């Protein structure tokens, strides 16, 4: 069989008829499969069920001279701050422990930047004539949406294999209206790229025109290898400080994909000056975050070493799913001569570029057949992928048998959309 | 002994010397006592320790067809929404279940009003030339601070024994810049007043000039009787709807003073249209709040009836403390002929008006002797009590023996400050 691009009209028609027949068979099964979001599977959640009993008596509720059940300690339990400092390589004083959602902490930082300004803001961003924000893409739709929500102009920065295109970043930051950049430095969402040392140093050493430029450093997958050993990462807080940019970076992380996705503990790490500034702001909205859950996590996860050991157990559940994705794409798509995809060693996603101009159609077909995917375009600012090509595959939630069915349908849809395009040329 | 106002200079001096001597004795003990915040006591927290084991196995984690450990259900678990609807007398569809802090939900409503506007806002409040907010005082400092934080002009509305002075409220709402009012309708903080039916109906039927006027209805003490039986309260959501003002009210409540102060579950109740509007806004900042803790609370608290029975057990711990406060004030202050205070049947505070012009001085003396109180003035907008008279007493935290010591010192300080004022006349 020739590859699609080299097929005759008759061959294209024949290939399409074959895929279509298979598609109709699948559709008739009335399936409901989901590869849309980076949700942990039931097996992973069960793996950490010890968390449920980590605090089960009155005596368990005391630590750091504090009764975790009562109000107080807005910055978080000292032991929780020490735990996160251990994971992130920063100092405990450089952390604020939040509720279940690091996204909410990131939202609050940007929200407060708009209403009150950051530590070095000449004025609140909401009073600026224009605010622009750098969005390495493909990237995380929820990041982009936060800055879009507040009216920032989103600027697409292409991702390279070493992280965001730094030449372009260094060009854009000369504009004082450019107030920040979204980064997922380790196993980027969705590309699974680890920013190179050079990229990280170039980011940490930037001298942007905006005095209140914010690197939004979402270290969501900091210990999330599903293949191979734990990969060290630099302490971005210390690095920015070394370059004289101590207050430029806001790092986020959480246990959402370590323990329970919906009931974990999050952290904001930043300079001591920023911690002081944000505690003052946060004190208006909160008396304290959930310290029972903080202590529950510290008791259960213990420290970085133990957490990395736990991540190996998650990896044993995750790795086979990523192998299924790779196998299906290689077996079903590679011979057709279109598309490319990454081969991550951690994180929660496979990023796929299908034939340009066919991503939306392919995912519409998926939906019709009961396979839910992240909407096409979601990985780009404003939800618009100029090439209509990038698709984020999130294989973590379904069990392997379901995933195989979903990938089979997905590949069929990719092929149908590609064939339709070639037939209509 | 004559009352203070009728004493001669010599009598004042003698009385002062006696109080001062006692004060110095107390100070020498190096005490550290706290009547500053409405924090539950250890005995109360121990009373609800069953909460810690309400969810302790994988099987416990499933309800409403949902795995509470995973992402999802931004509005909250259906069973948690039903629980709060039962307590508040509204419909489950009129609730959004939040994290540990109802203050944070209230903050988010005001914050979003500023950046994006409420459902009926002509524009975001941040784009208005001027925003004014009605603050019944004495009131809750953290409420006032939220609107102050966003730059609203705070307008003091005097509290009466039936709630805010409604004649004044009805006058102010003719000004379209007046965008809302803070209310604690049952056992108001700090006065312990229950708004009368007439007040509640006048509030619910208001026709303010601002189309996006917001009644911030903090029902923080909705089931918090410490003396006598549970007192029914009206469903403000339904009432506003009856008067054609369905979208005017935002009700808040939490389990902070039912279960754990630092690790409870909060609720925002409002019209279905407002629920839809806010879920759309909240979806930018959150995937979902902590559903494990929501289900933990539903399993432990069960329903309104069981919750009210639990509140009786809290009452047994709380009531003796409020009796201590009343006894000390009656025995030590009444004979001196100054001051007045309320006699609440629920809530967390005793509101005291000491001799005008002496509250700050009295609390400074307290602090010096190791007794921490809510700062004088805190119960007024901008922290300024024009009479320097109102003091919020929060007797819930210390055990009775400690509370007796604290009240003894507090009364001594009230007397010293009053005597100093009279001596300097």
């Amino acid at each position: 069989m020739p590859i699609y691009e080299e097929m005759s009209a008759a061959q294209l028609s024949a290939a399409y008829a074959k895929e279509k027949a298979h598609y109709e068979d699948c559709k008739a099964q009335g399936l409901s499969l989901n590869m849309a979001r980076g949700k942990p599977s039931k097996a992973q959640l069960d793996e950490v069920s010890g968390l449920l009993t980590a605090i089960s008596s009155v005596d368990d509720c005391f630590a750091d001279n504090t009764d975790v059940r009562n109000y107080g300690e807005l910055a978080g339990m000292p032991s929780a701050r020490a735990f996160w400092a251990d994971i992130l390589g920063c100092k405990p004083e450089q952390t604020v422990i939040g509720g279940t959602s690091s996204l909410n902490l990131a939202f609050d930082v940007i929200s407060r930047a708009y209403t009150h300004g950051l530590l070095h803001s000449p004025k609140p961003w909401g009073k600026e004539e224009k605010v622009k924000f750098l969005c390495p893409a493909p990237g995380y739709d929820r990041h982009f949406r936060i800055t879009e929500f507040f009216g920032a102009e989103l600027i697409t920065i292409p991702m390279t294999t070493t992280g965001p295109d730094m030449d372009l970043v260094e060009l854009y930051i000369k504009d004082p209206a450019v107030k920040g950049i979204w980064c997922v430095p380790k196993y980027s969402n969705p590309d699974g790229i680890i920013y190179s040392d050079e990229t990280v140093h170039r980011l940490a050493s930037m001298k942007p025109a905006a005095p209140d430029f914010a690197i939004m450093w979402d270290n969501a997958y900091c210990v999330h290898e599903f293949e191979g050993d734990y990969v060290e990462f630099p302490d971005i807080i210390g690095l920015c400080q070394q370059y004289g940019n101590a207050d430029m970076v806001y790092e986020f992380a959480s246990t959402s994909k370590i323990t329970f996705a919906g009931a974990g503990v999050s952290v904001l790490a930043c300079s001591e000056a920023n911690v002081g500034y944000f505690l003052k702001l946060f004190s208006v909205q909160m008396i304290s975050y959930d310290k029972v859950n903080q202590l529950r996590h510290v008791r259960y996860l213990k420290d970085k070493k133990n957490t990395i050991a736990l991540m190996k157990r998650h990896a044993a559940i995750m790795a086979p799913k990523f192998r299924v994705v790779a196998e299906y794409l290689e077996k079903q798509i590679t011979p057709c001569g279109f598309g490319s995809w990454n081969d991550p060693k951690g994180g929660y996603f496979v990023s796929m570029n299908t034939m340009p101009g066919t991503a939306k159609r392919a995912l519409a077909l998926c939906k019709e057949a009961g396979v839910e995917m992240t909407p096409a375009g979601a990985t780009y600012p404003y939800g618009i992928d100029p090439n209509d090509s990038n698709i984020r595959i999130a294989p973590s939630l379904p069990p392997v048998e379901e995933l195989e069915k979903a990938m089979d349908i997905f590949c069929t849809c990719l092929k149908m959309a590609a064939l339709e395009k070639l037939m209509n040329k």
Side-chain angles (χ1 to χ4, degrees), chain A:
Chain A
M1 282 278 278
I3 62 170
Y4 282 3
E5 294 271 6
E6 293 166 3
M7 279 183 176
S8 66
Q11 284 173 318
L12 287 170
S13 278
Y16 188 72
K18 195 180 146 231
E19 297 301 332
K20 180 103 198 315
H22 182 55
Y23 177 75
E24 295 299 337
D25 281 351
C26 294
K27 222 172 94 174
Q29 295 175 46
L31 298 168
S32 172
L33 303 165
N34 195 313
M35 296 194 294
R37 285 279 162 196
K39 287 171 102 166
S41 61
K42 182 176 187 308
Q44 285 178 269
L45 298 169
D46 289 353
E47 178 63 49
V48 295
S49 53
L51 182 68
L52 293 170
T53 48
I55 293 198
S56 47
S57 73
V58 169
D59 284 350
D60 291 340
C61 294
F62 293 82
D64 306 323
N65 284 317
T66 299
D67 183 339
V68 293
R69 302 168 298 177
N70 221 326
Y71 291 122
E73 299 287 337
L74 178 56
M77 289 296 286
S79 52
R81 301 177 80 184
F83 169 81
W84 274 114
D86 184 24
I87 298 272
L88 299 176
C90 65
K91 298 177 194 158
E93 312 87 77
Q94 293 168 336
T95 63
V96 176
I97 312 302
T100 55
S101 165
S102 62
L103 191 76
N104 206 346
L105 287 172
F107 177 93
D108 277 347
V109 167
I110 298 292
S111 179
R112 243 48 93 230
Y114 268 84
T115 58
H116 291 77
L118 298 176
L119 190 56
H120 301 296
S121 294
K123 50 177 147 175
W125 294 4
K127 304 273 186 210
E128 298 277 1
E129 215 164 294
K130 182 141 205 99
V131 168
K132 302 177 189 171
F133 222 86
L134 305 183
C135 300
Y140 183 31
D141 54 347
R142 289 184 185 270
H143 284 164
F144 302 161
R145 189 137 59 107
I146 289 174
T147 30
E148 187 186 353
F149 184 69
F150 287 102
E153 183 188 322
L154 309 186
I155 296 172
T156 300
I157 301 289
M159 280 292 283
T160 75
T161 52
T162 56
D165 180 333
M166 284 308 298
D167 291 345
L168 214 52
V169 169
E170 286 163 358
L171 207 66
Y172 273 115
I173 61 167
K174 292 176 182 169
D175 176 357
V178 171
K179 290 290 196 182
I181 184 169
W182 288 108
C183 296
V184 181
K186 193 173 163 183
Y187 304 124
S188 69
N189 177 351
D191 285 330
I193 287 165
I194 300 181
Y195 288 16
S196 71
D197 269 1
E198 195 205 327
T199 298
V200 174
H201 279 260
R202 282 172 78 175
L203 281 164
S205 62
M206 289 188 298
K207 296 294 172 189
D212 54 350
F213 187 93
I215 301 181
M216 298 293 281
W217 196 257
D218 190 352
N219 214 339
Y221 309 105
C222 53
V223 291
H224 298 60
E225 280 74 19
F226 57 75
E227 217 184 293
D229 283 333
Y230 167 70
V231 177
E232 292 283 348
F233 59 87
D235 163 29
I236 190 70
I237 314 291
L239 212 57
C240 280
Q241 195 175 17
Q242 270 177 46
Y243 284 111
N245 293 325
D247 305 329
M248 187 170 67
V249 66
Y250 305 85
E251 184 174 21
F252 304 92
S254 81
T255 64
S256 293
K257 280 147 190 142
I258 297 174
T259 59
F260 296 159
V265 166
S266 62
V267 62
L268 157 65
C270 49
S271 71
E272 287 91 329
N274 270 327
V275 165
Y277 181 71
F278 272 98
L279 285 180
K280 221 168 62 185
L281 296 185
F282 288 171
S283 75
V284 180
Q285 75 197 71
M286 283 294 270
I287 299 174
S288 47
Y289 292 99
D290 186 339
K291 295 188 300 298
V292 174
N293 208 30
Q294 290 175 20
L295 190 58
R296 190 179 279 126
H297 275 79
V298 170
R299 292 266 163 82
Y300 179 68
L301 293 174
K302 293 186 179 76
D303 54 23
K304 182 175 179 176
K305 197 179 149 212
N306 190 59
T307 303
I308 289 171
L310 163 61
M311 295 313 284
K312 286 263 181 202
R313 302 202 296 279
H314 282 308
I317 301 166
M318 290 275 280
K321 300 183 181 186
F322 281 84
R323 277 199 293 273
V324 166
V325 172
E327 280 164 20
Y328 270 79
L329 291 174
E330 276 156 36
K331 211 185 296 177
Q332 297 208 26
I333 304 300
T334 303
C336 304
F338 72 94
S340 63
W341 49 90
N342 66 335
D343 179 26
K345 308 282 179 246
Y348 263 67
F349 306 104
V350 172
S351 179
M352 191 220 176
N353 290 308
T354 189
M355 183 180 288
T358 70
K360 267 205 179 121
R361 170 65 181 153
L363 298 197
L365 286 166
C366 277
K367 198 171 184 178
E368 225 184 291
V371 177
E372 206 190 325
M373 304 285 299
T374 312
T379 53
Y380 280 78
Y382 306 111
I384 300 165
D385 172 2
N387 296 317
D388 185 24
S389 166
N390 189 249
I391 294 173
R392 187 180 82 161
I393 306 171
S396 56
L397 183 66
V400 166
E401 325 77 79
E402 281 187 27
L403 186 63
E404 284 175 337
K405 272 187 209 156
M407 280 304 296
D408 180 48
I409 295 171
F410 175 65
C411 290
T412 303
C413 297
L414 290 176
K415 287 188 279 185
M416 282 173 71
L419 287 164
E420 283 173 7
K421 194 181 174 207
L422 294 170
M423 289 190 295
N424 292 326
K425 246 185 187 165

